[in-house]
Amino acid sequence: MQFKKFVVCACAAACGLAATSSFARDILRVGTEPTFAPFEFLDTDTKEFSGFDMDLIRAVGTKAGYDVKILNMGFDALIPAVMTGTIDVIAAGVSITPERANRVDFTTPYYVSGVSMLIHKADAGKYKTFADLKGKKIAVQIGNTGAGKAKAVPGALVSAFNTTSEAFMDLLSKNADAVFLDRPVLAYYLKNQEKAAKVLTIPPYIDDAENYGFAVKKGNKALLEKLNKAYADLKASGEVDKIYKKWFQE
Ligand code: ARG
């Protein structure tokens, strides 16, 4: 009797296992560069990827039927990684530009941003637009749109760093005159770094608007459609607004 019961249990367990594995969800490999708060950063306590993009891609990926796995990479490594198939999607506050759209396919835009600058308070009267940084030192993150804008300033000496943290350090240590970066990221940095807020400021200037999108391999229509559909559903249900409010409104 005892033995028979065991056999039944073992079979149930084996069948259960088979059932789970055949219905296992595919993994969505998401690449990010987490020095871009409040969009993506590593939570100092939990060591988890945190931020607006991270919540959004987890929700969108889950809704699209995937198990979301986030991977940490250099910003300039993200597009090559999605092109070669090392990752399935980029979630890194990536601005949709015509040049990038030749190399990857973007999802529906999910956030409107734009590049601005962070400067020393003492220079607030001098530096009002990017052009005022002519011949000056500008710190940027390698490969991002801020880096492109800095290189376009005549005679500017541009230092390009792997992380935005290094660019901020370069400015704080008075080595650089400005950091060119997405305005919401500069604003979040100033709000959360008391020391920096005492000596640094963001002029009202903002360059052209830029839209953030998630990016997939060019031609991966199936994934693009799944992500867009999931995003549209989450937008309609109010879930996207909930995530937005969590990060951008108190
Ligand atoms: N929006 C800018 C760009 O697309 C900056 C993105 C930086 N993102 C990051 N996770 N570091 O170039």
Side-chain angles (χ1 to χ4, degrees), residues 32-36 40 53 75 78 91-97 100 113 115 141 143-146 164 181-182 210 212:
T32 197
E33 192 287 317
T35 69
F36 202 66
E40 44 268 341
D53 287 350
F75 186 74
L78 292 167
V94 178
S95 303
I96 303 172
T97 67
R100 288 172 179 166
S113 186
V115 178
Q141 180 179 42
N144 71 19
T145 47
T164 69
L181 193 67
D182 303 49
E210 294 180 8
Y212 294 169

Side-chain angles (χ1 to χ4, degrees), residues 124-137:
K126 276 195 289 182
Y127 305 147
K128 296 206 156 82
T129 71
F130 288 169
D132 298 333
L133 269 296
K134 192 172 165 179
K136 299 292 173 194
K137 292 183 183 168

Side-chain angles (χ1 to χ4, degrees), residues 41 136 244:
F41 59 98
K136 299 292 173 194
Y244 180 88

